[in-house]
Amino acid sequence: MSAFVSFKNVTKRFETLTAVDNVSLDIEKGEVFSLLGPSGCGKTTLLRMLAGLETPDSGRVILDGQDITNLPPNLRRVHTIFQNYALFPHMTVWDNIAFPLRVARYPKQEIARRVKGILELIRLGDHDYKYPSQISGGQKQRVAIARALVDQPQVLLLDEPLAALDLKLRQHMLLELDLIHDKVGITFLYVTHDQGEAMSLSDRIAVMNNGRIEQIDPPAKIYEAPRSSFVAAFIGDTNFLQGHVTSISHDYCNLAIVGLTSSVKSYNDKAIRAGSMVHLSVRPEKIHIAKTPPEFKDDLADKINLFSGVVEDIVYQGSHTKYWVKVGAHRIVTNMPHMRFQLDQEEITWGDSVALWWHADDAFMLEQFHATDAALIDPPAQYEEDVEIFRGTGNEP
Amino acid sequence: MKRSLLPIVILIIVLVFLYLPIVVLSLNSFNASRFSGTWDGFTLKWYSTLMQDRTIWQALVNSLIIATFATIGSCIIGTTAALALNRWQTRLQTLHNALIYTPLVVPEILMGMSLLLLFTALKIDCGRHTILLAHITFCVSFVAMTVLARLQDFDTSLIEAGRDLGATAFQAFIKIQLPLLMPGIIAGGLLAFTLSVDDFVITFFVSGPGSTTLPLRVYSMIKHSRQMPVINALSTLLLAVTFLAVIASRLLQIKRVSRSHPFISTTIGGTNK
Amino acid sequence: MNHKRLHEWIVSLPSLFWMVAFFAVPTLLVFALSFRPADTLGGIGAGWTLQTWSHLSNPNYPSIIWRTIWISLAATVICILLALPCAYAMARAPVRWRAILTTLIILPFWTNFLIRVFAWRQLLHPNGPLKQILVSIGIITPDTLLLYNSGAVLLVSVYSFLPFAILPIYAAAEKFDFSLLEAARDLGARSMRAFISVFIPGIRRGLISAALMVFIPALGSYVIPDLVGGPTSELLGNKIAQRTFFDRNLPHASALSALLAAGVLIPLALLALAMRKRPNERGGVGSDRKKS
C-alpha cells in the first residue's frame, strides 16, 4: 500500500541555511503524524511545503498519488491551523468559517448548512456573529479548526496550534483535537516542539534536528527505544553512558563504562560484537534509589546493575523527586515517585550514601551519539558550585 | 520623588501661545470695529459681506474639486507604492523608497519652483490640471507613508491563511489585505485631502488664470484687500470646519473601529475582554 | 524568478513613474536651467551660461542667505528648547491625558497655514491688541514697530513650526523608560543632571527629526517673511518668488532654488549615510538589520 502523503528527497534552503535537508517521509491516510523538534529544525518548513506556502528546491511532494510539488496553495485540498490562528480580524466567526466555501463558490444554502454543522461540532453555535477579538483563545483555536475542516480537506496541517494557550487550556485542547480527529478521520500533520503534545496525540512521530529526520516511530518506541542521543535527550530526561563491549552471553552483553569501576549489563538487540564501542541511554525513572538496596533473587540479580554513590542534588517536582547522584565520574539522575512504601524507608538527603540500580532491559543502546546532545539534558551540575549559597531556595525548576 | 512642575508650566504657556492668535482672530470676526485693537460691539456684518463674495465660493469649489481628484489619485499611487516597498527589498525599492521619502523633506517652495520649470519647459499652460498634478505629487508620499505604517503591522500569515484556504492571490488581496488596509488608506486619503485643500506655496507657483483655489484667494485678500474683518470671518468659518472635522473624525474613528474592527478597540480601550 | 521581477515592476511602476516625472526630473531641471540664459519673454533662452551664478555674488545675496540661515537656526533652537519640556510633560502625563494633549498640539497644525500667519499679522499690527497692551504697560513706545522685521519673522516661524518639534520629541519621549531617570536619581544624580545625561540621549532620534522638521521648512520659508516681514527681513524664499513672478527671470530663480536644494539635500544625504538605520532603508543596509 502506498502512502497518502509522501515527501521524496525534499530539500529547501534559505540563503545559506539548509532548513530541510533531503527528507523523505511517508504518512498514512487517517493518521495523526507529528513532526517534533527544536525551533529551527525545519519542521515548519516541511509543513509549509505540503501546504504550498514554500516550494522545495529539490525533491517531490506527493498527495494521494498526485505530484503537488509546484501546485499553488489554493489548488491543494490541504488546510493549515496557524500558530497564531490567522483568523481574519475583519470577519465574524461565521464569515471566517465560510471563507473557504465562498472562494470555492459553493451555493449559498450549502455554505449555510456546512458552516452550521461545523459550528455545532466545535460547540460555538452561539458565537457565530462575533469577531475574533471578542472570543477567547480556546474559542479562536476552535474557529481556526472549523475553518480548516469545513470544506473537508484531505490533510489538516497544525503548526504549533497550542503554543499560544496556557497549560490548562492546552491539555483541554489536546483532548478536543483527539476527539475531532476521531470524528472527521482525516489525516493530521502536527508540528510541535512540545514532546508532551506529540506523545499524547500522535500515531507516529518524526523527530527532526538540523533539517533531517532522526527517527520515525510510534510515541512509545520513540521514548523507550531512541535511536540517537538527540532523540533520547530531546524527548525526556536521560543518562548517557559510554563504553565498550567486554563479553556477550545470549541476548545480554557486559560493558566496561568510562568513569565507572564495575561493569554494566545491557540487553543486546543490535548484534554487537565484543570490543565495539557503545553508548547507553538510561531514563531516570528506570533507576531506583534507596539507602539500602533490597535483596535480589539469583536470576534477577544477574540482570541488575547496582552502584553506590553520594547524593549531590535533590529537586522536589511534585509528582516525583529528582536526585543527582555522584557515581564514579558520572552524575546519574534518577526520578522517584512518591509512594507509601517509600516513605517507610529512611529519607534521603544531601550528602547521603545511596544505592542505585536498574534492570539490564531498561537501558538502551544508541545507534548514533553526538557529545553535544548531552547539553539538551537540563544540567544543574554546572551551577552547583556557584549557587551554593542559594541552595535552599534556588533549585526550583 | 518629587517632580518638577516647570515642564507642565511651560506646556501650559505653549498651549496658550498656540491658541491665543486663533482665539483673538475669531473674536475679531464678530467685532464691529475695523481694527482689531478696539471692541465696538458684536456684529455679523462681516459674515454677510463674506456670503456675498462670489469669488471666494468659486475658489472653494476649485479647491474641493482639485482636492477630491488629488485624493483619489494619490491614494491609488501611494497604496501601490507602499505595497511594493513593503513586499520587495531590492535595489529598485531602495531607489523607490528615496523617491517617495525625499519630497517629505524638501521645502515646498522648491517643489513649486521645480514643477513650474517643468511645465514651462514642456510649454504646458498652468491651470487646474497643473495644480492637480502638483498636489498628487506631494500627497503620494504622505499616503504611501501612512499605508506603509499599517502594512508593517500587517500579519502576513493572514494572506497565507487565505491562500491556504483556497483563495487565489487576487482573491486574497481583495478579500483580506485590502479591507484590512482600508483604515490606513482612508487615513492617508484624509491627510491628502486636507493637505491639498490647505496648500498655498506649491499651488501659488503652478496656478494659472481661472484656477484660484481658496488659499490663493485668502492670500490675495490678505496681501491686497483692506477688508481684514472679512478674512477674519472666513478664517473663523474655516477654523470651525477644521476643528469639527478633527473632532468628528476622532469620535468616528473610535466608533467605526469598535464596530468593524473590535481588535483595535480592545487594544486601545482594553475593556472588551 | 523572472515572473517575480515582472510582478515587482508592475506594482512599483505607477509611483515610480510619477515620482520620476514630477519630482526627480523637475528637481534636476532646477539645477540644469540655472545654467541657461533668460529670454526676454520670461521663458528660458537657448545655450548655456554661467552668468546667472556670477550674479549671485551681488552683495545683496550673501546677506539674504546669511539671514535665512540664522533665522532658521534660531527658530530651530527656540522650538527645541520649548518642545523639550512640553514633550516631557506630555509623556509623563496620565495616559488618557496624552491623547487630549496630542490633539491639542496637532489641532493648530490642521488649520490653514495662511490663517495662522494672518492671525499673527493682525495681533502684531500697529492697531492690534498686542501693541496696545505693550504700550499701556510701558514696555514699548507707541512708535515701536512689532511687524515687518526679522523679529516678527522669527516669532511667527517658531509659532508655525513648534508642533513639528513637539510631536517627534514626544513620540520618542513616550517610548522612553522613565525608570531610567529614577535610577539615575537613585545613583546620586541631580534631577537636571539626570535629565541631561539620561533623558536627552534617550530621545536623541526624536531630537534629530524635530530639528530637521523645523530647520528645513524654515530654510524654504516664503509665506512668513512675505506676510509679516519687511524689506530688511527678506529670505531666500522671497527672492525665489520675486525672480519668478515679478522679474520673470526663471534661470535666476533656478539658481537660487538650486542653492536652497543643495543646502537641504546635501546635509540630509550625509545624515542618512551617517544613520543608515531608518526602518525603510533597505538593500545595502541588509546586513545591519540582521544584527539588530
Side-chain angles (χ1 to χ4, degrees):
Chain A
M1 180 184 127
S2 74
F4 190 57
V5 176
S6 280
F7 291 92
K8 292 197 190 299
N9 305 98
V10 169
T11 296
K12 176 76 185 176
R13 283 181 206 88
F14 294 110
E15 290 171 30
T16 54
L17 178 89
T18 306
V20 172
D21 189 359
N22 195 22
V23 164
S24 294
L25 183 64
D26 289 333
I27 300 170
E28 303 299 330
K29 191 162 184 168
E31 177 173 45
V32 178
F33 192 96
S34 288
L35 294 172
L36 174 65
S39 65
C41 71
K43 55 191 192 300
T44 298
T45 309
L46 205 56
L47 172 136
R48 288 169 62 85
M49 286 193 286
L50 183 52
L53 300 171
E54 305 282 358
T55 313
D57 296 332
S58 63
R60 317 302 309 165
V61 182
I62 314 286
L63 172 63
D64 198 13
Q66 189 197 354
D67 186 334
I68 58 164
T69 314
N70 294 312
L71 208 62
N74 52 310
L75 299 181
R76 303 177 181 208
R77 287 188 51 211
V78 170
H79 294 336
T80 309
I81 313 280
F82 289 82
Q83 188 168 359
N84 59 357
Y85 318 129
L87 297 182
F88 306 129
H90 59 302
M91 298 183 194
T92 59
V93 166
W94 179 283
D95 291 332
N96 260 288
I97 297 175
F99 183 86
L101 303 173
R102 286 193 178 137
V103 293
R105 302 190 191 285
Y106 277 65
K108 269 209 170 111
Q109 284 153 345
E110 176 70 6
I111 294 178
R113 194 182 64 77
R114 289 226 195 174
V115 174
K116 225 171 160 196
I118 200 107
L119 274 168
E120 248 145 59
L121 177 76
I122 59 162
R123 304 189 313 280
L124 278 178
D126 303 337
H127 300 276
D128 59 356
Y129 62 92
K130 289 187 179 169
Y131 285 94
S133 63
Q134 296 167 318
I135 56 178
S136 71
Q139 289 170 332
K140 280 183 200 163
Q141 164 92 75
R142 302 215 297 266
V143 173
I145 294 169
R147 188 178 68 173
L149 290 176
V150 72
D151 68 339
Q152 294 166 342
Q154 292 171 297
V155 184
L156 183 67
L157 310 178
L158 303 102
D159 184 8
E160 304 260 10
L162 306 182
L165 303 177
D166 59 46
L167 185 66
K168 277 275 173 227
L169 202 52
R170 204 179 307 161
Q171 287 166 347
H172 175 79
M173 284 311 299
L174 264 180
L175 292 174
E176 190 133 356
L177 278 176
D178 213 14
L179 212 70
I180 289 170
H181 181 256
D182 287 348
K183 278 192 191 155
V184 297
I186 64 167
T187 313
F188 277 29
L189 178 61
Y190 192 98
V191 160
T192 181
H193 68 277
D194 185 307
Q195 24 150 329
E197 285 174 23
M199 292 275 176
S200 47
L201 203 62
S202 320
D203 295 316
R204 285 192 303 151
I205 298 175
V207 181
M208 288 188 74
N209 186 28
N210 290 330
R212 292 166 180 275
I213 289 180
E214 296 261 337
Q215 185 170 357
I216 305 176
D217 268 315
K221 204 169 173 204
I222 294 268
Y223 187 80
E224 300 288 346
R227 279 188 52 221
S228 66
S229 55
F230 176 80
V231 176
F234 185 73
I235 294 158
D237 209 349
T238 196
N239 295 287
F240 288 129
L241 299 172
Q242 183 194 347
H244 65 271
V245 179
T246 51
S247 63
I248 298 176
S249 57
H250 304 294
D251 292 336
Y252 291 88
C253 57
N254 283 311
L255 309 170
I257 299 292
V258 179
L260 291 181
T261 45
S262 47
S263 77
V264 167
K265 280 182 275 303
S266 171
Y267 185 74
N268 172 24
D269 62 349
K270 302 255 170 12
I272 275 170
R273 285 170 303 154
S276 56
M277 176 81 102
V278 292
H279 291 92
L280 278 188
S281 158
V282 194
R283 298 279 186 201
E285 70 274 11
K286 310 278 189 194
I287 305 176
H288 276 256
I289 181 171
K291 282 207 164 171
T292 45
E295 294 288 319
F296 298 110
K297 284 180 190 156
D298 291 346
D299 57 335
L300 188 59
D302 207 33
K303 288 169 190 161
I304 289 289
N305 296 298
L306 181 64
F307 291 93
S308 58
V310 177
V311 175
E312 288 197 330
D313 262 306
I314 304 175
V315 176
Y316 175 75
Q317 292 189 324
S319 64
H320 61 269
T321 298
K322 209 165 186 164
Y323 300 91
W324 281 269
V325 181
K326 188 88 179 168
V327 181
H330 287 267
R331 265 166 72 89
I332 303 278
V333 58
T334 159
N335 293 345
M336 285 305 286
H338 308 124
M339 282 180 288
R340 177 71 192 152
F341 74 89
Q342 281 172 320
L343 293 177
D344 289 343
Q345 293 192 340
E346 265 185 282
E347 200 189 332
I348 298 169
T349 183
W350 286 273
D352 281 356
S353 293
V354 291
L356 294 178
W357 69 94
W358 72 88
H359 193 279
D361 290 358
D362 280 340
F364 196 82
M365 247 181 245
L366 301 170
E367 288 171 29
Q368 289 167 20
F369 183 84
H370 300 285
T372 48
D373 292 332
L376 292 165
I377 308 168
D378 54 340
Q382 291 147 0
Y383 303 104
E384 205 222 358
E385 303 301 323
D386 309 328
V387 292
E388 195 94 278
I389 49 171
F390 296 124
R391 180 167 272 183
T393 54
N395 274 333
E396 281 129 281
Chain B
M1 188 169 67
K2 216 184 124 196
R3 277 193 216 150
S4 167
L5 278 176
L6 189 67
I8 296 167
V9 173
I10 294 178
L11 177 61
I12 293 167
I13 293 173
V14 162
L15 283 173
V16 171
F17 173 63
L18 285 179
Y19 284 88
L20 185 72
I22 299 175
V23 171
V24 171
L25 174 124
S26 301
L27 285 179
N28 264 320
S29 71
F30 303 104
N31 188 352
S33 161
R34 269 183 176 280
F35 303 107
S36 53
T38 45
W39 181 260
D40 283 359
F42 181 86
T43 181
L44 285 175
K45 67 176 172 183
W46 310 120
Y47 285 88
S48 71
T49 317
L50 173 68
M51 293 303 156
Q52 286 150 19
D53 189 338
R54 302 200 53 175
T55 58
I56 289 178
W57 299 109
Q58 183 53 47
L60 179 66
V61 169
N62 273 339
S63 272
L64 292 179
I65 290 172
I66 291 167
T68 306
F69 286 105
T71 303
I72 295 169
S74 60
C75 273
I76 294 170
I77 299 173
T79 303
T80 57
L83 286 170
L85 286 173
N86 184 59
R87 174 138 176 204
W88 291 284
Q89 293 172 22
T90 55
R91 278 164 163 255
L92 180 69
Q93 298 308 327
T94 312
L95 172 75
H96 194 183
N97 187 62
L99 278 172
I100 295 290
Y101 272 82
T102 324
L104 293 173
V105 294
V106 162
E108 284 187 297
I109 195 164
L110 253 182
M111 202 184 234
M113 184 68 215
S114 63
L115 282 167
L116 172 66
L117 290 179
L118 178 76
F119 297 138
T120 312
L122 296 177
K123 304 210 171 7
I124 298 173
D125 287 329
C126 286
R128 281 201 292 214
H129 53 287
T130 50
I131 298 178
L132 177 60
L133 289 176
H135 282 202
I136 291 177
T137 309
F138 71 75
C139 289
V140 161
S141 304
F142 288 94
V143 175
M145 202 175 60
T146 319
V147 176
L148 196 59
R150 195 155 172 96
L151 266 175
Q152 277 159 352
D153 294 337
F154 192 83
D155 179 4
T156 48
S157 72
L158 292 176
I159 303 277
E160 289 187 339
R163 299 277 282 137
D164 181 76
L165 294 166
T168 61
F170 184 70
Q171 278 175 318
F173 177 72
I174 295 293
K175 289 186 179 234
I176 300 164
Q177 188 154 35
L178 208 53
L180 287 172
L181 226 46
M182 240 347 151
I185 299 174
I186 290 172
L190 282 175
L191 188 61
F193 191 87
T194 321
L195 289 169
S196 170
V197 167
D198 254 10
D199 181 75
F200 166 70
V201 177
I202 296 173
T203 315
F204 188 53
F205 276 83
V206 297
S207 67
S211 65
T212 302
T213 64
L214 195 58
L216 290 182
R217 180 73 197 133
V218 170
Y219 176 78
S220 77
M221 283 170 81
I222 296 173
K223 216 38 190 169
H224 308 296
S225 151
R226 295 203 178 83
Q227 292 255 337
M228 292 301 179
V230 179
I231 311 174
N232 283 341
L234 175 64
S235 305
T236 307
L237 280 183
L238 288 176
L239 284 172
V241 169
T242 320
F243 280 38
L244 284 178
V246 171
I247 292 164
S249 82
R250 291 250 150 175
L251 291 177
L252 240 142
Q253 208 175 359
I254 293 163
K255 265 197 185 157
R256 193 176 47 78
V257 155
S258 61
R259 202 152 34 82
S260 69
H261 297 289
F263 67 104
I264 299 174
S265 73
T266 48
T267 51
I268 294 172
T271 50
N272 216 337
K273 270 186 191 171
Chain C
M1 211 59 201
N2 240 336
H3 174 79
K4 243 181 161 177
R5 287 294 287 175
L6 185 71
H7 190 182
E8 181 186 352
W9 272 98
I10 291 172
V11 180
S12 311
L13 205 61
S15 49
L16 215 49
F17 165 78
W18 194 280
M19 296 322 271
V20 167
F22 295 107
F23 178 68
V25 168
T27 305
L28 294 177
L29 215 55
V30 169
F31 287 91
L33 293 191
S34 66
F35 297 102
R36 300 289 287 271
D39 77 1
T40 44
L41 296 166
I44 295 144
W48 300 91
T49 176
L50 278 172
Q51 209 181 4
T52 320
W53 282 95
S54 65
H55 276 308
L56 293 188
S57 56
N58 168 340
N60 229 340
Y61 285 111
S63 75
I64 284 176
I65 291 166
W66 176 238
R67 190 186 303 127
T68 307
I69 291 174
W70 88 252
I71 287 188
S72 304
L73 274 178
T76 308
V77 171
I78 296 170
C79 278
I80 286 186
L81 287 180
L82 284 176
L84 255 177
C86 289
Y88 178 85
M90 284 164 73
R92 300 219 75 165
V95 178
R96 69 201 140 83
W97 270 94
R98 286 184 209 163
I100 298 170
L101 287 170
T102 319
T103 312
L104 279 177
I105 297 287
I106 295 176
L107 213 48
F109 158 78
W110 282 103
T111 65
N112 191 295
F113 181 52
L114 283 172
I115 290 175
R116 280 177 284 154
V117 180
F118 172 65
W120 271 106
R121 184 171 148 118
Q122 228 174 10
L123 212 55
L124 299 173
H125 198 267
N127 294 320
L130 202 61
K131 172 85 176 275
Q132 291 177 352
I133 292 168
L134 291 177
V135 169
S136 64
I137 33 179
I139 292 180
I140 55 169
T141 56
D143 53 335
T144 312
L145 206 55
L146 293 177
L147 210 50
Y148 309 126
N149 53 37
S150 298
V153 173
L154 183 57
L155 174 70
V156 178
S157 296
V158 168
Y159 177 81
S160 304
F161 303 133
L162 192 54
F164 294 119
I166 295 178
L167 291 176
I169 298 180
Y170 165 68
E174 204 198 6
K175 290 188 200 110
F176 182 77
D177 177 6
F178 282 100
S179 62
L180 291 178
L181 273 187
E182 274 148 29
R185 295 295 305 276
D186 185 60
L187 295 168
R190 286 157 171 275
S191 64
M192 201 54 194
R193 175 68 202 248
F195 187 85
I196 289 169
S197 59
V198 178
F199 183 64
I200 304 275
I203 56 160
R204 195 175 58 245
R205 285 173 156 276
L207 284 174
I208 292 173
S209 60
L212 289 177
M213 294 282 273
V214 177
F215 187 69
I216 291 173
L219 269 187
S221 191
Y222 161 62
V223 173
I224 297 172
D226 189 49
L227 291 184
V228 301
T232 57
S233 52
E234 278 185 323
L235 302 186
L236 204 50
N238 301 80
K239 279 287 162 211
I240 295 175
Q242 265 180 31
R243 294 287 162 266
T244 309
F245 296 109
F246 301 113
D247 316 350
R248 199 65 193 179
N249 187 335
L250 289 180
H252 212 135
S254 294
L256 290 171
S257 305
L259 206 64
L260 178 61
V264 170
L265 292 177
I266 291 171
L268 265 181
L270 289 177
L271 194 75
L273 266 175
M275 307 225 313
R276 279 213 150 191
K277 266 186 185 170
R278 265 172 54 187
N280 293 300
E281 291 232 343
R282 283 132 169 190
V285 293
S287 50
D288 274 338
R289 274 156 51 86
K290 263 175 213 153
K291 266 180 249 157
S292 62

